[in-house]
Amino acid sequence: MTKLASLTLTLALALGGISSPAFVLAQQAAPGDAIRRPPPPDRDDFEVDANGDGVPDGWYNARDAVIEHEGGEVGPKFLRFACERRGRPARLSRAFGVDGRTTEAIIVGMWLRTKDVERGERSGEEPSFLIDFLGDELRHVSRGTMGPWTTSIGDRWTHVAKRISLPPSTRDAILSIGLMGASGRLDVDGVTLKLVPRQSVETTNLVANGDFELGDPAPASWIVNNDASRVSPGHASDSAIELSRSGAKVFTGLALPVEAFDGLEISAQVKAQGLRGSGGAGAGVYFLDADGESLGGRRGGAQAFQWAGSFDWTPQRTVVPVPRGAVRAVLQFEKSDGLGSVRVDDVRVAASPNPEIAGWSPYQISDDVLGWHEHAAVGPIVAGSALDFSFLNPGPAGSKGPVVVKDGRLAFRDAGRARFFGVQLLPPAAFQDAEKVDALVDRLAKSGVNLVRIGDLDTAYGPSRSLFDDARDDTKEFDPDSLARLDHLIAALESRGIYVAVELLGGRIFRSEDGVASAGMLPPGGGAAAVFDPTMAKLNIDASLAFLGRTNAETGKRLRDDPALAWVTLAGEVSMFNLIDNPAGLPPKYADELRVRGEQARGLPGRRLWQSLESAHHSAWAEELRKAGLKAPLAGVSHWRREGEFTPTLSAPGLDLIDDRLFWTPSPWVAPEARSLLWSTDGGLVAGASRKQVETRPYVVGQWCPQTQGAWALPYEAADQLLAAATARHEDWDALVRRGVFIHPKVWGDGPVGLVGGEDIFQIPEVANGTPQVYSLWPHAASILLRGLAAASKPEPIRSPLHRRTPTPGWDASRGRLVLDTPYTQGVAGWNLDGVSNFATLNISTGSPYAVVVASSVGSEPIAETKRLLVTTLARVEPTGYRWVDPWKRETADPGRPPLLLEPVRARVEWKRKGSVKAFALDNSGKRVGPAVAEPLPNGEGLALIVDGASATIHWELVAE
C-alpha cells in the first residue's frame, strides 16, 4: 500500500552510481556531433552479433551478459544475465534517438524469465529496466522504469509491456536492462520499442487495456485479486488474463458514464479448462450510483457470462441493460472455486445499440487549464514576513523538559500538554550537506512545523546517504559521514524549536557477513522473518542501542537523553501481518521455522501466533532500550494495517504510544470531482484512526497523506490538508505528520517531482515540497492544530484520547464543505461555498466552484486582536501537460512537466477592523510585491480584499495600522 516501495527502484539505482546516460552518449559521439541517433528498431531478438564480440549489435556496456544460442522465446538466441555475487551491476545498455515533439510515449515490451534471484545489498538492486530521456545538450529530463521482477517473474517465459510517456523536450534516450545488482539469473528476449505519435485516436471500447497486453506483469488499468494473472499466450496474442484460484477476480471501471446508454454490449474471447459443471467462472457488471455505491448492494451485479467445463478459445457476446439510476459501471471476471482455470482476452464493452455515441481517446484525458497561472517557485521564506510562522515553535526544542506520557497523552514534563504538527523526511533527505539542511530547517520552522519524523535511515542508498557503512560486507558499523550529516540536522532542528521523532528499523538490507540466512531473499527490513529470527533481532537491537547511545557531535547529547526527542518508533511496516498480502513471502528456512513455532504453540491460530510473536518481539526490544537509559515514549511498529489481531501488538508491554500511518485513498469508483476527504461520508481520517486508538495510549499519526495511486497528487489536497488538521485538533491527536519531504525539487514547487530535469528525475508521488497546494497551507494547518481553541496564555488540560466522537466542527460531507472557525484561523474550503461565511471579525465569500480561502493571525494574538493577517487562496494545482488514461482519472498517462499551473480563485475577504487597514500581495516567499486590490468597508469599519483570479498570487497580507 505504501508508495515508498514503488519509488525504491528508481531512486536507489540513480543514487547507487549507474553510469550517467549523458556521459555514455558523449563518449560515443565525435567532437561537434549533434548526437541525433536513429530511432530504435521495432524488435530486437538479440540474433545479430556481426563482429562476434559476444554483445548483440546496437548494445554496449555489457556486464555479466552473454548471448545464449538456444532456448529463446522468439528465436533461438536470447540474452542471459547471470551473477553469483550480490552487488555486481549486471546490465546492458542501448541508445537511440527519439523526438518528444512528435512522440508522446514508448510502449516497451519484452519476454523475461528468472531463476534464483536474490536482491542486492543496496535498495533497488533488483532485476529491472530503466529508460532515461535526454534533451538538448544531453540534459537529463526524465526517467521511466519497469520492474522490479525479483518475485513477480518466475522461470517460465513471461511477456511484460508498459507505456512510458516522453517529455516534449526529449531528443535522445538510453535504456538499460539487467539484474542491476541482484544475484541469480535473468533471461531476456524479443525486446520491442513502439513509438506512439502525438495524436489522439478515438475508440468506442469503454475498457482500457482490454487485450491485457500492457502489464508489468500485472495488467495495467485492471485491479487484480487472489492471484489472477497475465499469462502467455493469449488469443492470437502475447498475453491474456487467467483465473485459476478460488475467488480470483479481475475488474475495471468503464471509461465513460453509462447513464445515457440503453445497454452495454460486452464481448470477449474465452478459453476454459476443467471448470465446475454448474458454472465455475463468469463475468458480471456492477452498476454504480452517483456516490460510487453499487445498485442493489455488493451482490447486485448483473450477470453477463457463466462458464463451465473445458473449451478452446471461443467468442462471447451479450448485451446487459443499464438500470435506472446507474451512473457508472464496473466489469468483473471472477472464478468461484478452485477447480480448473479460465483465460480471457480481447475484452470489449461498447454502448448499445449505438456504439458511436460513446467514443473517447485513451491517454488523452486532461483538464481544461485555459486561463490557469504559472506557479512562481521562489527560494526561502522571508524572515518576519506574513508567511513566517516560526513564532509557533519558539526554540530551542526541549526547553520545556522532555516529552513524557501523562494521563494517556503526550506532555512536556515541565509545561503541560504536547502536540506536534510535523513532516516525515523521505530518504535520503536526512543526509544532506549542512547548507541544504540549514535551508530545509529554516523553511520548516517558518512553515509552523514543530516536529520532524526521521525514518528509513538504514535504507541502503550508498555512501553518505545511509546510516550503515556502505563499504563493509556487514551492517554492523555506521557511516561516519552520514552520522555527521545527521548530527547537524538534529542540532539545526533543535535550535529552531523543532522536535525529532525517530524510527529505528525501516529498509535495512542485511549483507553477507551479518550471519543472516537467505539475506538476499528477504525484503528491506527483513520482513516478517525479522520479528522471530534471533539473529536479526540482535542485529537490530545492537544497532538501535549504538545509534541512540552515541553522542551528537554538535549538541553534545546522546539522542536517548535529548529532551528534544519526542518519541522513538521501533520499526516501520516490518510486521508478521505482511504475510496476509504475501503468504509465500518467507524464504523456505523461515517458513519452516514459523511452522515449528506454530506447532510448539499447540495449534495457536495463524494470526494469533503472529500477534504473540510480534508483541513479545516488541516488548523484548523495548526492554533493552529502557535498560540502556532511553526515557522518551516508545512505539512499536508504524504501519497502515488495521486487522483486529494486529492492533493489540501496538499496545504490547513496554510500549507507550501508538504511531499510526493513516493513508487515505479515495474510492476509484466515485466521480473524479468527488475524490476529496471533504466528501467522505464514513468520517474520513477518523474512520481509520478509531480502529487503533486506545484509551491509555497517546495516538500519533506518524505519516499521513492522501494516497494518489501513482498520480503526482490529488486535485483537492489543499482542502484535504486543512480538514486533516481540523480533524486532528478536534479528535485531540497528539501529532499529525505529513509524508513527506524529499531532496527534490531543490526549489520548492519548481515542478512536478521527478520531471524538473537534471538530478530531479525521481517520479515519486505524495512529495509535499513538490506540491504547493500542501506546503503553502502549512502555516494555517499548524495554526489550527497547535493553537486550536486554546487561549495562548493558558496551558491546555490533559484529556482522554477518546473523549470525542462528534463530527469535525464546520465539516459538511454531504456538501463537500469545510468552515474553519478558531480564534486564530478562519476560512472556507471545498465546494458549495455560495453566499458569505460570517465570522466575528471576518466575512469570506468566493465565486469559484472549488476553492480554499483561509486567514490566520500572524503573531500570538487571535484574529480579534491581531494587527496582521495572512490570507491564502488556492484551488487546484496541476503540472503542464498532465493527462489521464481515461475520464475516470484512475491512472496517469502523462505526468506532465514544469511549470505547475494554478487554477484561478475569485474571493472576497472582509476584515471588520476599525482604523486604517492595508492589503498587500505577496510572492511565495512572503515578500510584498505590491498593493492588493481592495476597497474600504462602509463607515470605516475595515477593508475588503478582492481576489479576482487575474494573477498567480496565492498569499496576501492584511495589516492594521
Side-chain angles (χ1 to χ4, degrees):
M1 180 172 291
T2 173
K3 289 296 171 187
L4 290 179
S6 68
L7 68 87
T8 300
L9 165 68
T10 303
L11 178 58
L13 285 178
L15 298 181
I18 192 168
S19 298
S20 163
F23 174 78
V24 173
L25 287 177
Q27 291 294 101
Q28 292 182 326
D33 189 352
I35 316 180
R36 287 294 176 265
R37 284 157 189 76
D42 293 337
R43 177 185 291 274
D44 193 329
D45 302 334
F46 308 109
E47 298 293 325
V48 180
D49 178 16
N51 60 6
D53 64 353
V55 179
D57 288 357
W59 296 78
Y60 61 91
N61 202 20
R63 298 191 182 184
D64 296 314
V66 297
I67 300 174
E68 296 289 340
H69 292 264
E70 295 182 1
E73 176 64 16
V74 296
K77 296 181 182 180
F78 66 94
L79 187 66
R80 169 164 289 176
F81 299 93
C83 188
E84 296 182 358
R85 183 179 176 183
R86 299 165 66 198
R88 288 177 58 88
R91 66 176 186 264
L92 191 65
S93 300
R94 179 174 195 134
F96 55 89
V98 57
D99 193 332
R101 293 166 295 188
T102 57
T103 301
E104 76 172 29
I106 296 180
I107 298 177
V108 181
M110 66 191 75
W111 291 90
L112 304 171
R113 65 183 178 187
T114 65
K115 188 175 183 180
D116 301 328
V117 170
E118 296 191 18
R119 294 175 175 87
E121 294 185 342
R122 286 186 183 173
S123 292
E125 291 186 340
E126 301 181 68
S128 52
F129 167 92
L130 307 177
I131 184 166
D132 290 284
F133 300 118
L134 310 176
D136 291 332
E137 299 180 351
L138 300 178
R139 183 176 183 269
H140 209 155
V141 296
S142 182
R143 167 172 286 178
T145 67
M146 294 177 68
W149 303 303
T150 310
T151 58
S152 60
I153 301 291
D155 59 1
R156 296 178 58 184
W157 284 111
T158 302
H159 192 261
V160 297
K162 185 176 181 179
R163 188 182 193 276
I164 301 174
S165 64
L166 273 74
S169 57
T170 301
R171 300 295 179 267
D172 288 290
I174 179 170
L175 61 84
S176 298
I177 187 170
L179 288 166
M180 301 296 193
S183 64
R185 197 175 77 192
L186 169 67
D187 296 338
V188 184
D189 201 2
V191 174
T192 57
L193 298 167
K194 178 183 178 182
L195 304 185
V196 180
R198 288 193 179 274
Q199 62 186 42
S200 63
V201 178
E202 190 168 277
T203 179
T204 57
N205 187 0
L206 300 178
V207 173
N209 195 29
D211 55 9
F212 302 103
E213 292 304 301
L214 295 179
D216 185 27
S221 302
W222 293 78
I223 297 174
V224 173
N225 287 342
N226 275 352
D227 287 346
S229 60
R230 287 172 66 252
V231 295
S232 301
H235 175 253
S237 65
D238 289 332
S239 303
I241 196 76
E242 182 178 70
L243 291 74
S244 57
R245 290 184 57 182
S246 175
K249 65 180 67 173
V250 59
F251 51 97
T252 188
L254 304 192
L256 298 177
V258 299
E259 52 194 331
F261 307 155
D262 294 332
L264 298 173
E265 180 180 303
I266 304 170
S267 61
Q269 290 284 343
V270 180
K271 178 181 180 180
Q273 179 66 43
L275 294 177
R276 179 167 51 85
S278 58
V285 181
Y286 290 84
F287 292 99
L288 313 176
D289 62 18
D291 296 323
E293 299 295 329
S294 177
L295 299 180
R298 296 181 62 184
R299 299 182 180 275
Q303 183 172 305
F305 304 112
Q306 195 77 15
W307 302 302
S310 301
F311 51 88
D312 205 348
W313 286 109
T314 305
Q316 310 282 304
R317 179 188 174 279
T318 191
V319 175
V320 176
V322 176
R324 185 185 300 273
V327 177
R328 296 185 179 270
V330 175
L331 174 66
Q332 176 172 294
F333 296 93
E334 184 173 10
K335 193 168 182 295
S336 59
D337 57 39
L339 298 177
S341 63
V342 62
R343 292 190 179 189
V344 182
D345 203 353
D346 299 337
V347 176
R348 179 178 175 81
V349 180
S352 177
N354 181 12
E356 301 305 319
I357 67 172
W360 65 292
S361 298
Y363 306 101
Q364 303 297 327
I365 309 305
S366 59
D367 293 315
D368 180 5
V369 295
L370 184 65
W372 289 29
H373 306 295
E374 292 187 4
H375 174 68
V378 295
I381 294 174
V382 175
S385 70
L387 276 178
D388 182 359
F389 269 56
S390 56
F391 59 82
L392 291 178
N393 47 15
S399 58
K400 300 177 182 179
V403 178
V404 298
V405 176
K406 184 183 298 183
D407 299 328
R409 314 305 289 139
L410 290 183
F412 299 115
R413 186 193 61 190
D414 304 329
R417 184 77 166 83
R419 181 178 281 108
F420 299 103
F421 176 74
V423 298
Q424 165 86 10
L425 296 188
L426 298 177
F431 300 115
Q432 301 182 81
D433 60 46
E435 182 180 359
K436 293 178 182 177
V437 164
D438 293 342
L440 171 63
V441 172
D442 181 71
R443 180 88 193 210
L444 296 177
K446 290 174 179 174
S447 297
V449 169
N450 72 339
L451 179 133
V452 166
R453 188 180 186 278
I454 307 173
D456 295 298
L457 295 171
D458 51 5
T459 304
Y461 284 153
S464 304
R465 295 179 180 270
S466 175
L467 187 61
F468 294 111
D469 190 341
D470 188 71
R472 295 176 59 91
D473 291 327
D474 59 29
T475 55
K476 297 178 181 178
E477 297 291 340
F478 299 140
D479 182 325
D481 188 46
S482 294
L483 289 177
R485 292 171 179 238
L486 187 61
D487 283 352
H488 183 72
L489 170 67
I490 292 173
L493 290 169
E494 291 185 16
S495 69
R496 297 300 300 272
I498 301 176
Y499 287 74
V500 175
V502 173
E503 178 183 284
L504 298 176
L505 174 63
R508 186 176 187 175
I509 296 178
F510 296 99
R511 301 174 186 163
S512 58
E513 299 301 314
D514 281 321
V516 174
S518 305
M521 299 175 68
L522 295 169
V531 174
F532 62 86
D533 177 67
T535 301
M536 279 187 276
K538 185 176 187 308
L539 287 168
N540 289 329
I541 289 173
D542 289 348
S544 61
L545 291 173
F547 176 67
L548 294 172
R550 60 174 297 277
T551 300
N552 186 309
E554 296 196 26
T555 67
K557 292 174 282 193
R558 294 183 177 93
L559 190 55
R560 71 186 185 206
D561 302 326
D562 196 330
L565 181 61
W567 73 82
V568 173
T569 300
L570 296 180
E573 296 187 17
V574 179
S575 171
M576 295 287 301
F577 288 82
N578 293 350
L579 294 173
I580 294 174
D581 306 304
N582 186 13
L586 284 173
K589 174 192 180 299
Y590 297 107
D592 292 342
E593 183 177 342
L594 183 59
R595 191 178 306 110
V596 170
R597 287 177 177 261
E599 294 170 354
Q600 293 173 345
R602 298 181 181 180
L604 193 67
R607 294 191 186 183
R608 293 290 300 278
L609 173 64
W610 301 349
Q611 180 189 109
S612 174
L613 292 173
E614 196 150 313
S615 295
H617 172 68
H618 291 161
S619 294
W621 194 348
E623 183 180 6
E624 293 297 323
L625 296 180
R626 293 302 185 202
K627 286 180 182 178
L630 177 67
K631 296 181 177 59
L634 261 174
V637 62
S638 178
H639 213 308
W640 46 264
R641 307 212 74 99
R642 293 288 186 276
E643 290 82 10
E645 299 90 349
F646 168 74
T647 53
T649 68
L650 305 178
S651 301
L655 304 181
D656 306 296
L657 79 159
I658 294 170
D659 183 350
D660 198 3
R661 296 193 177 184
L662 200 55
F663 303 143
W664 179 79
T665 305
S667 168
W669 314 126
V670 300
E673 61 270 16
R675 292 175 191 166
S676 165
L677 268 171
L678 266 64
W679 293 104
S680 299
T681 56
D682 62 354
L685 297 181
V686 176
S690 62
R691 297 173 66 179
K692 284 192 175 179
Q693 288 180 275
V694 178
E695 184 76 23
T696 58
R697 304 292 172 103
Y699 175 78
V700 301
V701 180
Q703 288 192 38
W704 94 271
C705 67
Q707 201 162 37
T708 66
Q709 301 299 305
W712 161 73
L714 294 181
Y716 307 112
E717 291 201 39
D720 292 354
Q721 172 80 29
L722 294 180
L723 178 58
T727 298
R729 184 61 188 81
H730 177 66
E731 292 292 318
D732 202 24
W733 297 343
D734 294 87
L736 181 70
V737 180
R738 178 55 158 80
R739 189 180 82 189
V741 170
F742 187 51
I743 57 176
H744 295 299
K746 292 181 180 179
V747 178
W748 287 33
D750 202 19
V753 180
L755 293 157
V756 174
E759 296 178 355
D760 189 2
I761 56 172
F762 314 121
Q763 295 181 34
I764 306 172
E766 299 143 19
V767 172
N769 52 302
T771 313
Q773 62 269 47
V774 172
Y775 68 75
S776 294
L777 288 165
W778 278 353
H780 303 286
S783 175
I784 293 168
L785 185 58
L786 301 181
R787 298 195 283 188
L789 302 175
S793 60
K794 296 180 181 179
E796 189 170 354
I798 305 297
R799 292 177 290 182
S800 163
L802 303 183
H803 75 287
R804 296 183 188 274
R805 276 298 173 263
T806 57
T808 300
W811 177 27
D812 185 350
S814 67
R815 301 178 64 192
R817 186 173 189 261
L818 174 67
V819 177
L820 296 162
D821 187 5
T822 81
Y824 302 93
T825 299
Q826 295 168 350
V828 293
W831 294 259
N832 301 298
L833 303 176
D834 49 303
V836 180
S837 295
N838 296 310
F839 304 97
T841 56
L842 290 177
N843 293 334
I844 297 177
S845 60
T846 174
S848 300
Y850 159 80
V852 168
V853 182
V854 61
S856 293
S857 65
V858 181
S860 59
E861 298 87 2
I863 291 176
E865 301 171 15
T866 188
K867 294 183 177 180
R868 299 174 71 193
L869 280 180
L870 171 67
V871 178
T872 302
T873 58
L874 263 173
R876 291 178 292 172
V877 183
E878 191 170 292
T880 300
Y882 198 85
R883 294 203 306 271
W884 303 87
V885 172
D886 65 33
W888 263 23
K889 298 182 179 179
R890 290 173 292 124
E891 288 183 275
T892 299
D894 187 331
R897 56 193 179 277
L900 295 171
L901 302 177
L902 305 174
E903 183 180 24
V905 174
R906 295 179 300 279
R908 180 183 176 94
V909 179
E910 298 178 354
W911 192 16
K912 296 173 285 186
R913 173 93 183 196
K914 290 184 179 181
S916 174
V917 178
K918 294 183 178 180
F920 301 93
L922 309 178
D923 69 10
N924 293 314
S925 71
K927 178 183 178 181
R928 294 176 181 175
V929 293
V933 177
E935 61 184 33
L937 295 178
N939 302 319
E941 293 293 326
L943 190 76
L945 169 68
I946 300 172
V947 181
D948 58 11
S951 73
T953 302
I954 61 176
H955 295 299
W956 317 83
E957 181 182 5
L958 301 183
V959 181
E961 297 181 340

